[in-house]
Amino acid sequence: NSSLANIGDTLSFASTSQNGDYPIITYSWNFGDNNVDNDSSFVYHSYADSGEYSPSLTVSDGYLYDTKYKVDFIKIANGTNE
């Protein structure tokens, strides 16, 4: 399943990652549009241009890391919700 939104819409991203032997200490989001966020397991982002985007999340416990990609998961249309 993909997500459809318009330019400027605020989208929420939430990690469903589970702790391994050690707790997750870093969340590195890449929204697929040359923007990143390292704040937390739940973040907001809006896209400035239409197109299809492939966001990813890398989590780490300080020893190991894992990255999940969602290829062409976000589809941004030219319209606005105003």
Side-chain angles (χ1 to χ4, degrees), residues 7 19 21 24 29 39 52 57 76 82:
I7 291 173
N19 288 331
D21 291 336
I24 296 169
W29 297 91
D39 285 343
E52 293 183 351
L57 171 63
I76 302 297
E82 295 180 13

Side-chain angles (χ1 to χ4, degrees), residues 3-62:
S3 181
L4 177 63
N6 292 313
I7 291 173
D9 286 354
T10 300
L11 306 178
S12 60
F13 293 79
S15 171
T16 58
S17 302
Q18 301 283 326
N19 288 331
D21 291 336
Y22 300 97
I24 296 169
I25 59 172
T26 61
Y27 295 86
S28 299
W29 297 91
N30 183 325
F31 300 107
D33 63 350
N34 296 320
N35 286 289
V36 296
D37 191 317
N38 298 314
D39 285 343
S40 69
S41 62
F42 186 85
V43 296
Y44 295 98
H45 183 68
S46 60
Y47 290 88
D49 295 308
S50 61
E52 293 183 351
Y53 296 94
S54 301
S56 66
L57 171 63
T58 301
V59 296
S60 176
D61 61 9

Side-chain angles (χ1 to χ4, degrees), residues 1 28-32 53-59 65-74:
N1 290 336
S28 299
W29 297 91
N30 183 325
F31 300 107
Y53 296 94
S54 301
S56 66
L57 171 63
T58 301
V59 296
Y65 69 91
D66 188 36
T67 302
K68 297 296 182 203
Y69 298 91
K70 294 285 190 172
V71 177
D72 295 337
F73 185 71
I74 305 290

